[in-house]
Protein backbone atom coordinates (compact mmCIF):
# COMPACT_ATOMS: atom_id res chain seq x y z
CA UNK A 1 0.00 0.00 0.00
CA UNK A 2 1.29 3.46 -0.91
CA UNK A 3 1.10 6.03 1.89
CA UNK A 4 3.09 9.16 2.72
CA UNK A 5 2.30 11.28 5.77
CA UNK A 6 3.41 14.47 3.99
CA UNK A 7 1.02 13.78 1.14
CA UNK A 8 -1.74 13.05 3.63
CA UNK A 9 -1.44 16.59 5.01
CA UNK A 10 -2.15 17.99 1.55
CA UNK A 11 -4.97 15.49 1.00
CA UNK A 12 -6.70 16.60 4.20
CA UNK A 13 -6.20 20.26 3.22
CA UNK A 14 -7.75 19.56 -0.18
CA UNK A 15 -10.66 17.75 1.48
CA UNK A 16 -11.20 20.74 3.79
CA UNK A 17 -11.96 22.76 0.67
CA UNK A 18 -15.11 20.64 0.29
CA UNK A 19 -16.38 21.27 3.80
CA UNK A 20 -15.59 24.97 4.17
CA UNK A 21 -17.48 26.92 1.46
CA UNK A 22 -20.74 28.60 2.43
CA UNK A 23 -23.43 29.57 -0.08
CA UNK A 24 -24.59 32.77 -1.73
CA UNK A 25 -23.04 35.82 -3.35
CA UNK A 26 -23.61 39.54 -2.75
CA UNK A 27 -26.62 40.93 -4.61
CA UNK A 28 -24.37 43.30 -6.55
CA UNK A 29 -22.60 40.33 -8.13
CA UNK A 30 -25.70 38.41 -9.13
CA UNK A 31 -26.04 40.40 -12.34
CA UNK A 32 -22.81 38.80 -13.55
CA UNK A 33 -24.26 35.27 -13.44
CA UNK A 34 -23.79 33.23 -16.59
CA UNK A 35 -22.95 29.80 -17.91
CA UNK A 36 -19.59 30.95 -19.26
CA UNK A 37 -18.16 30.92 -15.72
CA UNK A 38 -18.22 27.11 -15.79
CA UNK A 39 -15.53 27.22 -18.50
CA UNK A 40 -13.09 28.56 -15.91
CA UNK A 41 -12.63 25.03 -14.56
CA UNK A 42 -11.29 23.16 -17.61
CA UNK A 43 -9.64 26.24 -19.12
CA UNK A 44 -7.65 27.12 -16.00
CA UNK A 45 -5.49 24.04 -16.59
CA UNK A 46 -5.35 23.92 -20.37
CA UNK A 47 -4.68 27.65 -20.87
CA UNK A 48 -1.94 27.73 -18.23
CA UNK A 49 -0.15 24.71 -19.68
CA UNK A 50 -0.36 26.01 -23.25
CA UNK A 51 0.80 29.48 -22.17
CA UNK A 52 3.84 28.13 -20.30
CA UNK A 53 4.72 25.81 -23.17
CA UNK A 54 4.61 28.66 -25.65
CA UNK A 55 5.97 31.42 -23.40
CA UNK A 56 7.84 30.02 -20.36
CA UNK A 57 8.13 33.55 -18.92
CA UNK A 58 4.36 33.51 -18.34
CA UNK A 59 5.07 31.36 -15.27
CA UNK A 60 6.70 34.41 -13.68
CA UNK A 61 3.54 36.42 -14.36
CA UNK A 62 1.39 33.69 -12.81
CA UNK A 63 3.46 33.52 -9.64
CA UNK A 64 2.97 37.28 -9.20
CA UNK A 65 -0.76 36.95 -9.89
CA UNK A 66 -0.95 34.28 -7.19
CA UNK A 67 1.04 36.42 -4.75
CA UNK A 68 -1.26 39.40 -5.28
CA UNK A 69 -4.60 37.58 -5.28
CA UNK A 70 -4.27 34.59 -2.94
CA UNK A 71 -3.88 36.54 0.36
CA UNK A 72 -6.94 38.77 -0.30
CA UNK A 73 -8.85 35.65 -1.33
CA UNK A 74 -7.96 34.01 1.96
CA UNK A 75 -8.99 37.15 3.86
CA UNK A 76 -12.36 37.04 2.09
CA UNK A 77 -12.77 33.40 3.10
CA UNK A 78 -12.00 34.12 6.74
CA UNK A 79 -14.28 37.14 6.79
CA UNK A 80 -17.12 35.98 4.52
CA UNK A 81 -16.86 32.97 2.21
CA UNK A 82 -16.32 30.02 4.56
CA UNK A 83 -18.63 28.49 7.12
CA UNK A 84 -18.18 30.21 10.46
CA UNK A 85 -16.55 33.24 8.85
CA UNK A 86 -16.31 36.43 10.90
CA UNK A 87 -15.24 39.83 9.61
CA UNK A 88 -12.66 40.15 12.38
CA UNK A 89 -10.95 36.94 11.21
CA UNK A 90 -10.07 38.46 7.82
CA UNK A 91 -6.88 40.23 9.08
CA UNK A 92 -5.42 36.83 10.00
CA UNK A 93 -4.41 36.56 6.35
CA UNK A 94 -1.65 39.09 7.09
CA UNK A 95 0.26 37.01 9.68
CA UNK A 96 -0.29 33.94 7.52
CA UNK A 97 1.39 35.72 4.62
CA UNK A 98 4.19 36.87 6.93
CA UNK A 99 4.79 33.28 8.07
CA UNK A 100 4.72 31.99 4.49
CA UNK A 101 7.30 34.65 3.61
CA UNK A 102 9.59 34.48 6.63
CA UNK A 103 9.58 30.70 7.15
CA UNK A 104 8.86 29.40 3.68
CA UNK A 105 11.46 26.60 4.03
CA UNK A 106 9.95 25.30 7.30
CA UNK A 107 6.86 23.21 8.04
CA UNK A 108 5.22 26.25 9.67
CA UNK A 109 5.74 28.34 6.55
CA UNK A 110 4.47 25.54 4.34
CA UNK A 111 1.35 25.19 6.47
CA UNK A 112 0.76 28.94 6.28
CA UNK A 113 1.01 28.74 2.48
CA UNK A 114 -1.45 25.86 2.44
CA UNK A 115 -3.96 27.79 4.56
CA UNK A 116 -3.65 30.84 2.29
CA UNK A 117 -4.28 28.74 -0.81
CA UNK A 118 -7.17 26.81 0.76
CA UNK A 119 -8.80 30.06 1.88
CA UNK A 120 -8.53 31.69 -1.53
CA UNK A 121 -9.96 28.56 -3.21
CA UNK A 122 -12.88 28.49 -0.77
CA UNK A 123 -13.72 32.06 -1.82
CA UNK A 124 -13.53 31.11 -5.50
CA UNK A 125 -15.64 28.02 -4.91
CA UNK A 126 -18.41 30.03 -3.27
CA UNK A 127 -18.31 32.73 -5.93
CA UNK A 128 -18.40 30.27 -8.84
CA UNK A 129 -21.25 28.29 -7.30
CA UNK A 130 -23.21 31.53 -7.09
CA UNK A 131 -22.22 32.76 -10.54
CA UNK A 132 -22.77 29.75 -12.81
CA UNK A 133 -25.68 27.34 -13.28
CA UNK A 134 -24.84 24.35 -11.07
CA UNK A 135 -25.40 21.75 -13.79
CA UNK A 136 -22.83 23.50 -16.00
CA UNK A 137 -20.46 23.86 -13.07
CA UNK A 138 -20.68 20.12 -12.41
CA UNK A 139 -19.94 19.37 -16.05
CA UNK A 140 -17.06 21.86 -15.91
CA UNK A 141 -15.56 20.09 -12.88
CA UNK A 142 -15.73 16.74 -14.65
CA UNK A 143 -14.24 18.28 -17.81
CA UNK A 144 -11.44 19.75 -15.69
CA UNK A 145 -10.62 16.32 -14.25
CA UNK A 146 -10.69 14.69 -17.68
CA UNK A 147 -8.43 17.31 -19.28
CA UNK A 148 -6.07 17.12 -16.30
CA UNK A 149 -5.89 13.33 -16.58
CA UNK A 150 -5.24 13.49 -20.33
CA UNK A 151 -2.42 15.99 -19.83
CA UNK A 152 -0.84 14.07 -16.95
CA UNK A 153 -1.04 10.57 -18.38
CA UNK A 154 0.02 11.91 -21.77
CA UNK A 155 3.14 13.39 -20.12
CA UNK A 156 2.15 16.83 -21.37
CA UNK A 157 1.61 18.57 -18.05
CA UNK A 158 4.76 17.62 -16.14
CA UNK A 159 7.29 19.90 -17.84
CA UNK A 160 5.25 23.15 -17.82
CA UNK A 161 4.01 22.37 -14.31
CA UNK A 162 7.62 22.06 -13.13
CA UNK A 163 8.32 25.49 -14.63
CA UNK A 164 5.28 26.95 -12.86
CA UNK A 165 6.17 25.41 -9.49
CA UNK A 166 9.75 26.67 -9.75
CA UNK A 167 8.73 30.24 -10.66
CA UNK A 168 9.48 32.77 -7.92
CA UNK A 169 8.31 36.35 -7.55
CA UNK A 170 11.75 37.34 -6.26
CA UNK A 171 12.98 39.10 -3.10
CA UNK A 172 12.33 35.91 -1.15
CA UNK A 173 8.58 36.39 -1.50
CA UNK A 174 6.44 33.26 -1.05
CA UNK A 175 5.31 31.12 -3.95
CA UNK A 176 1.54 30.83 -3.72
CA UNK A 177 0.84 29.17 -7.07
CA UNK A 178 1.19 25.71 -5.53
CA UNK A 179 1.47 24.09 -2.11
CA UNK A 180 4.11 21.74 -0.79
CA UNK A 181 4.66 19.94 2.47
CA UNK A 182 8.16 18.51 2.72
CA UNK A 183 8.39 16.13 -0.25
CA UNK A 184 4.71 16.25 -1.28
CA UNK A 185 3.15 18.91 -3.51
CA UNK A 186 -0.27 19.83 -4.83
CA UNK A 187 -1.19 22.41 -7.46
CA UNK A 188 -3.52 25.34 -6.93
CA UNK A 189 -5.99 23.84 -9.39
CA UNK A 190 -6.31 20.69 -7.25
CA UNK A 191 -7.51 22.73 -4.26
CA UNK A 192 -9.68 24.81 -6.58
CA UNK A 193 -11.49 21.72 -7.91
CA UNK A 194 -12.31 20.54 -4.38
CA UNK A 195 -13.52 24.02 -3.36
CA UNK A 196 -15.86 24.19 -6.36
CA UNK A 197 -17.30 20.83 -5.29
CA UNK A 198 -17.81 22.31 -1.83
CA UNK A 199 -19.44 25.41 -3.31
CA UNK A 200 -21.84 23.27 -5.35
CA UNK A 201 -22.84 21.23 -2.29
CA UNK A 202 -23.33 24.39 -0.23
CA UNK A 203 -25.48 25.99 -2.92
CA UNK A 204 -27.65 22.87 -3.05
CA UNK A 205 -27.84 22.75 0.76
CA UNK A 206 -26.37 19.28 0.78
CA UNK A 207 -24.13 17.86 3.52
CA UNK A 208 -20.47 18.69 3.03
CA UNK A 209 -18.78 16.75 5.83
CA UNK A 210 -19.49 13.29 4.40
CA UNK A 211 -18.22 14.26 0.90
CA UNK A 212 -15.14 15.72 2.59
CA UNK A 213 -14.42 12.38 4.26
CA UNK A 214 -15.24 10.60 1.01
CA UNK A 215 -12.64 12.71 -0.77
CA UNK A 216 -9.99 11.59 1.71
CA UNK A 217 -10.91 7.93 1.12
CA UNK A 218 -11.07 8.31 -2.67
CA UNK A 219 -7.76 10.19 -2.70
CA UNK A 220 -6.06 7.44 -0.68
CA UNK A 221 -7.36 4.85 -3.13
CA UNK A 222 -6.36 7.00 -6.13
CA UNK A 223 -2.88 7.50 -4.66
CA UNK A 224 -2.22 3.76 -4.91
CA UNK A 225 -1.41 4.48 -8.55
CA UNK A 226 1.80 6.07 -7.25
CA UNK A 227 3.06 2.47 -7.05
CA UNK A 228 3.27 2.50 -10.85
CA UNK A 229 3.43 6.19 -11.86
CA UNK A 230 5.22 9.27 -10.51
CA UNK A 231 2.55 11.95 -11.11
CA UNK A 232 -1.22 11.83 -10.67
CA UNK A 233 -3.96 14.35 -11.52
CA UNK A 234 -5.40 15.31 -8.11
CA UNK A 235 -8.47 16.91 -9.68
CA UNK A 236 -9.85 13.44 -10.41
CA UNK A 237 -10.87 12.51 -6.81
CA UNK A 238 -13.15 15.59 -6.42
CA UNK A 239 -14.81 14.68 -9.73
CA UNK A 240 -15.30 11.09 -8.56
CA UNK A 241 -16.87 12.30 -5.30
CA UNK A 242 -19.16 14.62 -7.30
CA UNK A 243 -20.36 11.70 -9.41
CA UNK A 244 -20.88 9.62 -6.27
CA UNK A 245 -22.89 12.40 -4.62
CA UNK A 246 -25.10 12.75 -7.68
CA UNK A 247 -25.70 9.00 -7.92
CA UNK A 248 -26.55 8.83 -4.22
CA UNK A 249 -28.98 11.75 -4.58
CA UNK A 250 -30.71 10.03 -7.49
CA UNK A 251 -30.92 6.77 -5.52
CA UNK A 252 -32.46 8.57 -2.54
CA UNK A 253 -34.92 10.33 -4.83
CA UNK A 254 -35.98 7.05 -6.40
CA UNK A 255 -36.44 5.45 -3.00
CA UNK A 256 -38.57 8.41 -1.92
CA UNK A 257 -40.79 8.04 -4.99
CA UNK A 258 -41.16 4.31 -4.40
CA UNK A 259 -42.13 4.89 -0.77
CA UNK A 260 -44.72 7.47 -1.84
CA UNK A 261 -46.13 5.00 -4.38
CA UNK A 262 -46.32 2.26 -1.74
CA UNK A 263 -48.05 4.59 0.69
CA UNK A 264 -50.66 5.51 -1.91
CA UNK A 265 -51.18 1.86 -2.80
Amino acid sequence: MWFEADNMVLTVAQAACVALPAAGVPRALQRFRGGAWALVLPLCIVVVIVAINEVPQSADVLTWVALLLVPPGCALALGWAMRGARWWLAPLAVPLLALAWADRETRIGELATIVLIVGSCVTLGRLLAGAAPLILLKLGLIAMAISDAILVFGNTLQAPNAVLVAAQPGAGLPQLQSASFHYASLGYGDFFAAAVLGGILAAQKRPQLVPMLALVVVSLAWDQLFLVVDVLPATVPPAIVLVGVELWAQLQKRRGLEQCADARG
Side-chain angles (χ1 to χ4, degrees):
M1 180 177 177
W2 190 94
F3 179 83
E4 289 288 345
D6 295 331
N7 192 71
M8 187 62 181
V9 172
L10 294 176
T11 296
V12 171
Q14 185 189 27
C17 291
V18 177
L20 288 175
V25 295
R27 183 175 300 178
L29 297 180
Q30 291 179 358
R31 58 183 175 178
F32 297 108
R33 285 178 54 86
W37 288 111
L39 294 174
V40 170
L41 287 160
L43 291 179
C44 72
I45 291 180
V46 175
V47 171
V48 166
I49 296 306
V50 171
I52 295 176
N53 268 331
E54 297 298 322
V55 186
Q57 293 79 5
S58 59
D60 297 324
V61 176
L62 290 172
T63 193
W64 272 103
V65 169
L67 179 63
L68 294 174
L69 296 185
V70 166
C74 181
L76 280 172
L78 293 169
W80 168 73
M82 72 178 192
R83 294 185 177 274
R86 299 290 185 273
W87 66 266
W88 46 266
L89 291 175
L92 289 178
V94 175
L96 284 171
L97 179 60
L99 278 174
W101 186 358
D103 296 324
R104 60 188 187 131
E105 301 297 333
T106 69
R107 296 296 181 95
I108 296 297
E110 290 174 336
L111 285 173
T113 298
I114 292 169
V115 173
L116 286 168
I117 290 174
V118 167
S120 66
C121 287
V122 166
T123 297
L124 289 176
R126 178 170 180 172
L127 289 173
L128 267 185
L134 295 183
I135 182 61
L136 294 182
L137 206 57
K138 294 172 185 178
L139 293 174
L141 180 55
I142 293 172
M144 179 185 191
I146 291 173
S147 60
D148 193 17
I150 291 172
L151 290 170
V152 169
F153 293 129
N155 294 317
T156 305
L157 182 140
Q158 285 83 330
N161 185 65
V163 174
L164 178 61
V165 171
Q168 298 183 11
L173 292 166
Q175 299 162 280
L176 302 180
Q177 69 271 23
S178 64
S180 62
F181 193 74
H182 203 38
Y183 294 116
S185 63
L186 209 60
Y188 188 94
D190 303 321
F191 293 101
F192 179 40
V196 170
L197 171 59
I200 291 171
L201 295 173
Q204 293 185 317
K205 295 181 172 56
R206 291 181 177 178
Q208 292 167 252
L209 183 58
V210 172
M212 168 191 163
L213 298 176
L215 181 57
V216 174
V217 174
V218 171
S219 295
L220 287 173
W222 181 249
D223 287 347
Q224 299 313 303
L225 289 175
F226 277 127
L227 294 171
V228 292
V229 297
D230 296 325
V231 181
L232 286 175
T235 56
V236 172
I240 292 175
V241 172
L242 171 63
V243 172
V245 167
E246 292 299 313
L247 291 176
W248 178 256
Q250 291 301 316
L251 179 61
Q252 292 297 99
K253 183 178 180 180
R254 181 175 297 180
R255 285 179 178 175
L257 292 174
E258 290 175 353
Q259 290 174 355
C260 288
D262 293 339
R264 291 173 182 173

